[in-house]
Amino acid sequence: MAEASKEIPKPLPQITPITQPFWEAAASRKLVMQRCSDCRSWVWCPRPACVECGSEGLQWAPVSGRGTVFAFTVIREVVGRALRGFEKDIPYITAWIDLEEGPRICSNVVQCPVEKVVIGMAVEVVFEEAGQGIFLPKFKPIR
Amino acid sequence: MEPNSRLSGKYAIAGLGMVIGLPEKELEKRKADLPGHPMLNHAIASPLVDLSAKDIEAEAARRAIEDAGLSNKDIDGAVHVHGGPRSGRGVVEHMDAFPRMLGLPVNFYYHCGRGGGWGTIGIITALSFLELGLAKYVAIAGSREDWTRSHRKEVRDQGIRGQINPATVAGMWGPTYGRTAAAHEHSMFAARHKHEYGTTETQFGAGAIQVRAWACKNPLARMYGRPATIEDYLQSPIYIDPYHLMDMAVTTDGAVAMVLTSMERARDCPKPPVAVLGIGYGDAQGGQWWEGAAHYTKLPVLKAKEAAFGQAGISIKDIDVAQLYDCFTAELIFQMEDYGWCAKGEGGAYVEAGHIGPGGDTPVNTSGGLLSAYHMADLTGISESVFQLRGEAGERQVPDARLTFVTGHGGEVFAPGMCSIHTTLVLGRP
């Protein structure tokens, strides 16, 4: 695992016409999500039609960026098919965050010691530059 | 209960063939210790040297055809099964596969499969062709070379172990956040079950230990000869909270194949037929999507189970032995609950009480499962079911096993974190 090799980059998100508004907003430090204009469901991740009712009337809307940790894990070892680009971050926290508006988003909990993270912890969004002008929404504890 | 499907029991598995990789030195030792043990006839040296996935698939298919007492010229349909485009290999490299290598005079051949339900999906496909009268004997084969791939330097140096680059897969958001392995998602199911129901580390460990105890009765199992206690488990390091290494499935090189035909024809084959009694399929989007916390620790079992058990005319109480998809230990606990052996939230206590291991009243994963034997998705459970129902399971044989079921699980993990699919396959002695 520790053998020396060239730096391996982390994967960047693929930006598609459907996801572009999300990443454009993130680059200006704003969190937006699709919302169905028919059934009012929030939709994540971005897609062409509402996952609840099938309506194509999805519109982008801002969300507060505040939420709670629904589930998390601490990744302490590279196992199986893990990407080596993350080895230097170990241990790190990956989580599902329930936003206060309702939708659930996958992200990391950052600025938090791994022994401090708990389910139900209040968090808020921060934006981390990932390269090529892409900013990733991540979540830090609300103190 | 009477079967509610006229197809229940109409078709059967008439032949089984497999090759499962074991580390070369370990295989030599086992052959020396257990000369002539029938399970070791299914073993090959791993990592694979000078053998491709296609080669071992063809060998497994050849063995399945032989096991059914047939010759290559009898096989008039073929199905290749795999885990879908995320399984690490594109379909394209299988375009010239086992039917061509064996010269099978097939009327059709194609690929199908998804998640961990490929074997069952292959059987659904085979049964459609048999029922349509387009074939008499269908060969199904699938393979994995995960062990070999994780040991190939060029694969490691790309930083991607046997998996397509997730950055190029639209909709795959997890890898950007360092969620690159199945364990990274599944560990969160376990964390949430702990949170909601008070499930303990010892309870997850109890599942791993009992399945390991079965593996110690199966010389083909990766972990044969390596018994473990709960103390061993608790003292081992945590890799991905709350999981230790023993909570996670093994990686495998191998291929499994079978021949499906009508029960009428299967009765003329040399081995006892294994009847296909019921098949069900569940998708998390049908009824579980976006229901949040209440369904995060529940698999899409309900529709799959009701369909399969209804076709077969059985209930959970009728089951003699079960082969459940144990990619991780929490999945064992979920399935104890979701299939109704115990109430929701009580799966941890149920497993901890020792029901599923040798000597328990609910024998589960008698091969050693994905956790401790070999990971060929649901083909692991299907092959073990054939051994059990034929009475060929040796030391681990469940006495008079007549009725079993096999589950498949997996597919893409989609927001809000559900695991997509579940398959239920009921098999029995006619």
Side-chain angles (χ1 to χ4, degrees), chain B residues 114-121 280-282 299-301 304 323-327 335 339 370 377-379 381-382 405-411 420-425:
Chain B
R114 182 145 178 255
W118 0 311
T120 300
I121 293 167
Y281 194 102
L299 307 180
V301 163
Q323 310 298 336
L324 307 180
Y325 201 86
D326 56 340
C327 46
Q335 290 176 87
Y339 276 95
L370 311 182
D378 62 341
L379 291 172
I382 293 172
F405 73 100
V406 182
T407 66
H409 168 57
S420 306
I421 70 153
H422 190 85
T423 56
T424 310
L425 171 67

Side-chain angles (χ1 to χ4, degrees), chain A residues 51 70 73 76 80 92 94 108, chain B residues 161 178-179 192 239 241 289:
Chain A
V51 71
F70 172 74
T73 187
R76 299 175 190 272
Y92 61 94
T94 176
N108 298 125
Chain B
R161 296 185 180 178
R179 289 149 77 148
R192 190 73 203 177
Y239 272 45
D241 294 27
W289 176 273

Side-chain angles (χ1 to χ4, degrees), chain B residues 292-348:
Chain B
H295 289 276
Y296 189 73
T297 57
K298 200 170 169 182
L299 307 180
V301 163
L302 191 62
K303 284 182 182 173
K305 178 197 165 188
E306 282 181 356
F309 282 32
Q311 290 161 27
I314 61 159
S315 78
I316 194 73
K317 293 188 185 68
D318 301 321
I319 295 295
D320 299 313
V321 50
Q323 310 298 336
L324 307 180
Y325 201 86
D326 56 340
C327 46
F328 299 92
T329 47
E331 270 70 9
L332 282 172
I333 289 173
F334 299 165
Q335 290 176 87
M336 290 295 130
E337 300 169 352
D338 296 347
Y339 276 95
W341 277 296
C342 62
K344 194 72 204 164
E346 293 174 5

Side-chain angles (χ1 to χ4, degrees), chain B residues 67-360:
Chain B
D67 190 54
L70 300 169
S71 73
N72 290 356
K73 68 177 171 23
D74 296 316
I75 303 300
D76 49 6
V79 178
H80 175 248
V81 291
H82 60 89
R86 278 195 68 214
S87 68
R89 294 194 306 272
V91 164
V92 175
E93 68 181 276
H94 288 278
M95 291 310 251
D96 183 23
F98 74 92
R100 320 305 181 201
M101 294 169 80
L102 297 177
L104 308 179
V106 295
N107 297 324
F108 64 87
Y109 165 60
Y110 68 60
H111 318 275
C112 61
R114 182 145 178 255
W118 0 311
T120 300
I121 293 167
I123 291 176
I124 293 174
T125 306
L127 261 53
S128 342
F129 282 105
L130 292 166
E131 181 69 13
L132 288 166
L134 298 175
K136 294 185 175 68
Y137 297 100
V138 181
I140 301 171
S143 69
R144 299 188 88 141
E145 47 176 359
D146 291 355
W147 180 259
T148 298
R149 292 176 77 88
S150 66
H151 285 75
R152 275 187 194 145
K153 189 173 182 307
E154 68 273 17
V155 177
R156 286 204 318 267
D157 284 354
Q158 288 164 8
I160 300 161
R161 296 185 180 178
Q163 195 161 14
I164 52 175
N165 183 350
T168 65
V169 183
M172 284 302 302
W173 291 60
T176 304
Y177 292 99
R179 289 149 77 148
T180 59
H184 299 164
E185 296 292 345
H186 288 257
S187 56
M188 289 194 277
F189 302 150
R192 190 73 203 177
H193 202 276
K194 281 179 77 176
H195 175 78
E196 288 176 24
Y197 302 112
T199 310
T200 66
E201 197 177 2
T202 303
Q203 292 173 341
F204 292 121
I209 301 306
Q210 288 170 74
V211 173
R212 177 68 64 89
W214 284 118
C216 289
K217 294 173 177 288
N218 178 9
L220 189 60
R222 181 78 178 79
M223 296 298 174
Y224 175 78
R226 292 169 66 176
T229 64
I230 195 68
E231 289 74 27
D232 297 331
Y233 171 90
L234 292 170
Q235 282 162 20
S236 68
I238 289 178
Y239 272 45
I240 298 170
D241 294 27
Y243 279 158
H244 304 248
L245 196 56
M246 281 177 65
D247 291 296
M248 303 184 239
V250 295
T251 53
T252 299
D253 289 334
V256 178
M258 51 194 156
V259 175
L260 270 284
T261 189
S262 66
M263 180 58 78
E264 202 182 339
R265 289 193 171 89
R267 287 189 196 279
D268 293 332
C269 295
K271 294 286 184 73
V274 168
V276 178
L277 299 175
I279 305 178
Y281 194 102
D283 191 294
Q285 187 154 2
Q288 289 190 301
W289 176 273
W290 206 254
E291 292 181 39
H295 289 276
Y296 189 73
T297 57
K298 200 170 169 182
L299 307 180
V301 163
L302 191 62
K303 284 182 182 173
K305 178 197 165 188
E306 282 181 356
F309 282 32
Q311 290 161 27
I314 61 159
S315 78
I316 194 73
K317 293 188 185 68
D318 301 321
I319 295 295
D320 299 313
V321 50
Q323 310 298 336
L324 307 180
Y325 201 86
D326 56 340
C327 46
F328 299 92
T329 47
E331 270 70 9
L332 282 172
I333 289 173
F334 299 165
Q335 290 176 87
M336 290 295 130
E337 300 169 352
D338 296 347
Y339 276 95
W341 277 296
C342 62
K344 194 72 204 164
E346 293 174 5
Y350 189 85
V351 169
E352 191 178 9
H355 291 282
I356 68 171

Side-chain angles (χ1 to χ4, degrees), chain B residues 361-374:
Chain B
D361 57 5
T362 313
V364 163
N365 296 2
T366 47
S367 64
L370 311 182
L371 285 170
S372 282
Y374 46 95

